[in-house]
């Protein structure tokens, strides 16, 4: 039996008397017992992080990069032991967890490479001109710096890639910010193992005590305390709308408000245009069913809505969708609470007048086993019942038949913010629906052509974010190197002596980074 204590900087702590346990969702068996953090332990984690920030923020890009690379290697060194624990707590298959472990290590290394190159600080230099008239021009230099201690909430659906050492933690550490992770209650043993790896890497690379902490407990209590702490400067969250909005509201009501970067779910609408629907219905139906049910539908990019224009070929198209969806398999969801929420969402759709079940996947009565469901309705019902366009977290989707091209465009215009929107069409389709693409780019963070939204490539060009309510700040991304800018702010130095300037802004450019100097990009010294 695993017993979990708080990791507060370089210390282990178990001051509290309250405990909870993690459960294997496939069997209901207990995995381990974990102490809930006390208020004093949470305060200590923030105090350590605040002190560590004054040291960590001064570490060079190469030093921080070495830390991130060490974390990656420590996680990989855990190997099958970590995979086994993670599979037990999440009921996810071994191959999925092995892939996620690789992704977690690779995104840490991606940020390390960004730090080693160094140009991410967006250095801008305007040199002085004392002879300018009517007023002399001062010397002003600009760059990005870290905000301070960041609180990260682990996600349920990615126990490694969006958890203790996931994307939020990696980007915050890269920005120069100490991190306090509130572990997700569905996989605390997994989080604890990874946290120990981070703790070990911090010691081995001479990082300050408090650069990282992990706390167990309830989001509504210990999480709220952390968000309200005056020394916390930003929050990263992936989860439900209710959870993310609650944290956002807490943060903006503080005496000094702070940013909350909450990714709160998305329906990720898919539009299929007339020509491709007639020509490639069979292949589309198969791939759509696979995308909806991939990972038991537990991806934030799960395609929860399909819109097509009704026509003579529409009946044949939906028949193919039905056939492929009936072949889909059920799967164990990540936790009993998630399964319960899925069933509630399905029942809400079933209770809505004008919504029918187009197809059901295979069924199982096993514990927390979710059966896929494909609904169907039309645009009139959708406009009357906006909740139909809201996310059901799990293996379901709703097919919406539009009356015309104009009606399809109206559906797009009425969409709220989403992470993604996908359009399937021939070249002629896409040219004829350019106005649809114009609308969608205003509604989402990523527009996908002839693909499917499940599967988020982790690279510098990725945007994993979107307008509210998909996220609380549509100007940011939680995946890719641009995620670093959630945890930085710009600062300008005017008239600063060379000896006191950061290396990124010194005349000699000792780091050899790209800088904007008097309006032109350069790696040369001044």
């Amino acid at each position: 039996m695993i017993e979990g204590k708080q990791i507060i900087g370089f210390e282990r702590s178990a001051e509290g008397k309250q405990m909870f346990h993690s459960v294997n969702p496939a069997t209901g068996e207990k995995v381990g017992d974990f102490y809930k953090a006390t208020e004093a332990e949470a305060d200590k984690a923030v105090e350590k992080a605040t002190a560590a920030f004054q040291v960590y923020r001064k570490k060079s890009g190469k030093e921080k990069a070495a830390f991130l690379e060490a974390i990656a290697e420590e996680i990989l060194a855990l190997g099958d032991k970590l995979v086994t624990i993670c599979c037990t707590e999440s009921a996810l298959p071994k191959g999925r967890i092995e892939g996620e472990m690789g992704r977690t290590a690779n995104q840490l290394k991606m940020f390390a490479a960004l730090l080693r190159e160094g140009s991410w600080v967006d250095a801008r230099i305007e040199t002085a001109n004392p002879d300018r008239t009517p007023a002399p021009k001062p010397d002003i230099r600009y760059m990005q710096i870290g905000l301070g201690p960041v609180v990260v909430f682990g996600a349920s659906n990615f126990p490694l890639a969006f958890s203790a050492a996931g994307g939020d933690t990696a980007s915050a550490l890269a920005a120069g910010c100490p991190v306090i992770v509130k572990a997700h209650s569905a996989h605390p043993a997994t989080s604890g193992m990874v946290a120990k790896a981070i703790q070990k890497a911090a010691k081995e690379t001479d990082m300050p005590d408090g650069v990282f902490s992990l706390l167990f407990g309830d989001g509504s209590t210990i999480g709220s305390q952390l968000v309200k702490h005056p020394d916390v400067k930003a929050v990263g969250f992936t989860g439900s709308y209710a959870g993310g909005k609650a944290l956002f509201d807490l943060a903006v009501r503080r005496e000094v408000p702070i940013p909350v970067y909450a990714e709160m779910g998305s329906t990720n609408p898919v539009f299929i245009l007339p020509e491709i629907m007639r020509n490639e219905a069979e292949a589309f139906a198969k791939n759509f069913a696979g995308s909806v049910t991939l990972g038991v539908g537990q991806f934030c990019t799960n395609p929860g809505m399909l819109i097509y224009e009704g026509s003579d070929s529409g009946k044949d198209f939906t028949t193919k969708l039905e056939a492929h969806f009936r072949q889909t398999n059920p799967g164990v969801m990540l936790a009993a609470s998630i399964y319960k929420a899925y069933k509630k969402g399905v029942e809400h759709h079933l209770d809505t007048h004008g919504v029918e079940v187009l197809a059901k996947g295979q069924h199982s009565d096993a514990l927390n086993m979710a059966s896929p469901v494909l609904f169907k309705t039309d645009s009139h019902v959708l406009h009357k019942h906006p909740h139909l366009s809201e996310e059901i977290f799990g293996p379901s989707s709703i097919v919406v038949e539009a009356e015309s091209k104009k009606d399809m465009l109206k559906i797009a215009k009425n969409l709220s913010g989403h992470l993604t929107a996908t359009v399937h069409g021939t070249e002629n389709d896409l040219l004829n629906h350019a106005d649809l693409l114009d609308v969608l780019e205003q509604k989402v963070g990523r527009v996908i052509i002839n693909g499917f939204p499940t599967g988020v490539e982790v690279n510098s060009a990725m945007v994993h974010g979107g307008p509210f309510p998909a996220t609380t700040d549509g100007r940011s991304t939680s995946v890719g190197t641009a995620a670093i800018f959630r945890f930085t702010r710009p600062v300008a130095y005017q008239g600063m002596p060379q000896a006191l300037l950061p290396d990124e802004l010194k005349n000699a450019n000792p780091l050899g980074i790209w800088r904007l100097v008097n309006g032109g990009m350069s790696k040369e010294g001044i």
Side-chain angles (χ1 to χ4, degrees):
M1 182 67 66
I2 298 168
E3 185 175 83
K5 299 180 180 180
Q6 323 306 321
I7 292 177
I8 303 177
F10 294 159
E11 299 178 42
R12 302 290 304 281
S13 180
E15 296 179 359
K17 295 181 179 179
Q18 290 187 321
M19 300 188 78
F20 70 100
H21 58 265
S22 62
V23 172
N24 182 331
T27 65
E29 294 176 353
K30 186 162 68 171
V31 178
D33 292 312
F34 301 85
Y35 290 94
K36 291 185 178 182
T38 64
E39 289 187 11
E41 287 173 321
D43 284 341
K44 187 174 183 179
V46 178
E47 289 166 10
K48 280 199 168 194
T50 303
F53 177 57
Q54 299 307 322
V55 179
Y56 187 59
R57 65 186 294 268
K58 295 292 186 179
K59 295 284 187 180
S60 70
K62 290 183 179 179
E63 289 174 308
K64 291 195 284 282
F67 176 35
L68 296 182
E69 289 164 344
I71 296 172
E73 294 305 322
E74 291 294 339
I75 290 172
L76 293 175
L78 293 171
D80 287 342
K81 185 178 180 182
L82 176 60
V83 171
T84 299
I85 288 294
C86 194
C87 290
T88 302
E89 285 192 312
S90 67
L92 293 171
K94 182 179 180 182
R96 156 71 190 275
I97 295 304
E98 288 175 337
E100 194 175 323
M101 185 163 67
R103 171 180 168 173
T104 304
N106 288 337
Q107 61 194 13
L108 285 159
K109 294 178 180 180
M110 177 185 70
F111 280 107
L114 184 77
L115 294 175
R116 287 190 185 280
E117 193 281 327
S119 300
W120 74 273
V121 298
D122 191 19
R124 305 179 183 204
I125 298 173
E126 291 287 338
T127 56
N129 181 0
D131 297 326
R132 189 185 69 176
T133 59
K137 176 189 175 186
D139 184 281
I140 302 178
R141 307 185 181 216
Y142 162 117
M143 66 178 285
Q144 295 285 335
I145 65 170
L147 289 175
V150 170
V151 171
V152 169
F153 289 80
S156 64
N157 58 338
F158 281 91
L160 294 175
F162 268 93
S163 188
D168 289 344
T169 296
S171 54
L173 290 175
C177 302
V179 172
I180 303 157
V181 172
K182 191 286 181 181
H184 197 282
S185 58
H187 45 77
T190 302
S191 298
M193 286 184 69
V194 173
K196 291 174 188 175
I198 300 173
Q199 186 185 60
K200 183 179 178 182
K203 291 178 179 179
E204 291 180 349
T205 55
D206 195 30
M207 293 298 119
D209 183 9
V211 73
F212 177 84
S213 295
L214 178 96
L215 302 176
F216 301 112
D218 301 320
S220 58
T221 51
I222 202 70
S224 298
Q225 180 189 346
L226 290 170
V227 172
K228 291 188 292 185
H229 197 291
D231 290 332
V232 168
K233 302 303 182 186
V235 175
F237 172 88
T238 299
S240 68
Y241 174 81
K245 186 62 163 57
L247 295 177
F248 177 82
D249 290 344
L250 281 176
V252 297
R253 287 199 299 264
R254 288 177 29 151
E255 184 175 350
V256 179
I258 58 172
V260 173
Y261 297 102
E263 191 245 281
M264 303 181 291
S266 171
T267 307
N268 307 296
V270 176
F271 294 79
I272 182 166
L273 305 182
E275 281 190 4
I276 205 166
M277 186 176 76
R278 288 193 298 270
N279 300 338
E280 300 183 28
E282 183 73 29
F284 176 88
K286 178 181 179 180
N287 292 328
F288 180 76
S291 183
V292 171
T293 57
L294 182 68
V296 203
Q298 297 171 117
F299 291 104
C300 42
T301 52
N302 182 54
M305 183 187 302
L306 169 61
I307 302 100
Y308 75 99
E309 184 181 334
S311 64
D312 292 339
S313 58
K315 186 174 182 180
D316 180 61
F317 173 63
T318 55
T319 298
K320 288 180 170 59
L321 280 174
E322 288 181 60
H324 282 287
F325 212 84
R326 287 196 184 101
Q327 297 173 27
T328 60
N329 294 316
V332 178
M333 299 199 80
L334 293 158
S337 59
I338 294 173
Y339 173 66
K340 182 179 179 181
Y342 173 70
K343 287 185 64 179
K344 183 177 180 181
V346 167
E347 289 167 1
H348 195 193
H349 272 25
L350 290 173
D351 290 340
T352 304
H353 182 71
V355 175
E356 62 177 300
V357 174
L358 184 63
K360 289 185 178 181
Q362 300 298 306
H363 178 74
S364 171
D365 292 322
L367 184 65
N368 297 319
M369 185 76 75
S371 299
V373 183
L374 185 64
F375 300 97
K376 186 178 182 297
T377 191
D378 60 39
S379 57
H380 295 289
V381 176
L382 179 66
H383 295 318
K384 188 176 180 180
H385 300 284
H387 76 268
L388 295 174
S389 65
E390 296 173 1
E391 179 187 40
I392 296 178
F393 190 68
S396 77
S397 190
I398 185 166
V399 179
V400 181
E401 183 176 294
E403 291 183 340
S404 62
K405 175 183 175 182
K406 182 179 179 181
D407 195 28
M408 182 181 283
L409 192 63
K410 181 181 178 182
I411 292 172
K413 289 179 177 178
N414 286 337
L415 290 172
S416 61
H418 293 271
L419 295 173
T420 73
T422 301
V423 180
H424 282 255
T426 64
E427 184 175 354
N428 188 52
D429 274 330
L430 296 172
L431 289 173
N432 288 336
H433 291 79
D435 48 357
L436 174 64
L437 298 175
D438 286 341
V439 170
L440 293 179
E441 71 178 6
Q442 300 174 61
K443 297 288 186 175
V444 304
R446 179 166 53 118
V447 179
I448 302 154
I449 304 298
N450 293 333
F452 288 93
T454 40
V456 178
E457 188 71 23
V458 182
N459 62 31
S460 294
M462 178 52 65
V463 172
H464 190 62
F468 187 88
T471 72
T472 48
D473 191 332
R475 298 168 298 174
S476 65
T477 175
S478 61
V479 175
T481 53
I484 196 172
F485 298 114
R486 296 175 299 164
F487 305 119
T488 67
R489 66 177 179 86
V491 62
Y493 304 86
Q494 183 168 330
M496 185 74 73
Q498 284 289 308
L500 297 178
L501 281 169
D503 283 348
E504 291 88 345
L505 298 177
K506 288 178 178 176
N507 282 351
N509 193 13
L511 301 180
I513 63 173
W514 284 103
R515 307 186 297 183
L516 184 66
V517 181
N518 295 325
M521 295 302 296
S522 173
K523 292 182 78 171
E524 303 298 321
I526 300 171

